[in-house]
Amino acid sequence: MKALFVTTVTAAALLLGACSTTSPDVIRPGDAQRLSTVQDAVVLNVRPVVVEGQQQGIGGTSGAVVGGIAGSSVGGRREGMVIGVLGAVAGAVIGNSIERFGTREESVEILLQLPSGERRALVQAKGNENFAPGEAVILVSTGGKTRVMKAVAVAR
């Protein structure tokens, strides 16, 4: 019974941590069928960056539960309580680390120049498109979030 509980809590923490993304290829349901503003721009520079992972407490909480249960089953009653507390603390630290590293995203910082001459920088998760300096792109803004997409060549 304890093993099933520990497995369930660990699996839930890992699944919830994997749900977060800032990928430009993933559109949230609330942004679907919303009119977006579009701006032309030119890529000046692209560099790889890492968006640090989030710690919402799910990893720490589930780690503490798993560590506490595992530790409390060691030794007698008194030893089990002491080791259970130590296991909970160690589990919380390990769970936080797993959550933070599990939600990190390989991203790119794109330096852009607008037609007005104004320059902007935008960080977004790596998507299916790769950008190069001098390339024409569009900025799509929806609900306060902006993503960069390659501009479609239009024949005239």
Side-chain angles (χ1 to χ4, degrees):
M1 185 68 169
K2 279 186 183 179
L4 177 62
F5 178 74
V6 170
T7 304
T8 303
V9 170
T10 303
L14 292 174
L15 285 172
L16 289 173
C19 290
S20 176
T21 184
T22 60
S23 172
D25 300 324
V26 176
I27 306 299
R28 292 187 167 90
D31 293 336
Q33 295 184 321
R34 272 202 165 152
L35 189 60
S36 300
T37 59
V38 178
Q39 266 186 302
D40 292 318
V42 174
V43 175
L44 297 176
N45 189 39
V46 180
R47 71 183 188 101
V49 296
V50 174
V51 173
E52 187 63 51
Q54 301 174 8
Q55 286 182 276
Q56 297 175 339
I58 295 168
T61 302
S62 57
V65 169
V66 171
I69 291 171
S72 66
S73 64
V74 175
R77 183 175 171 184
R78 183 170 288 177
E79 293 87 8
M81 284 197 296
V82 171
I83 295 174
V85 169
L86 294 175
V89 171
V93 170
I94 293 168
N96 273 333
S97 295
I98 290 170
E99 181 181 12
R100 186 166 38 101
F101 286 107
T103 57
R104 290 177 81 167
E105 285 190 278
E106 298 295 322
S107 303
V108 289
E109 180 180 52
I110 308 165
L111 182 60
L112 305 154
Q113 184 159 353
L114 303 176
S116 66
E118 191 176 350
R119 293 180 178 187
R120 300 281 172 97
L122 187 128
V123 174
Q124 72 181 27
K126 286 185 181 177
N128 291 327
E129 296 180 317
N130 293 316
F131 304 102
E135 192 169 35
V137 294
I138 56 173
L139 308 177
V140 180
S141 298
T142 307
K145 305 252 181 185
T146 302
R147 67 183 189 276
V148 178
M149 297 172 47
K150 287 189 178 193
V152 178
V154 178
R156 293 184 184 209

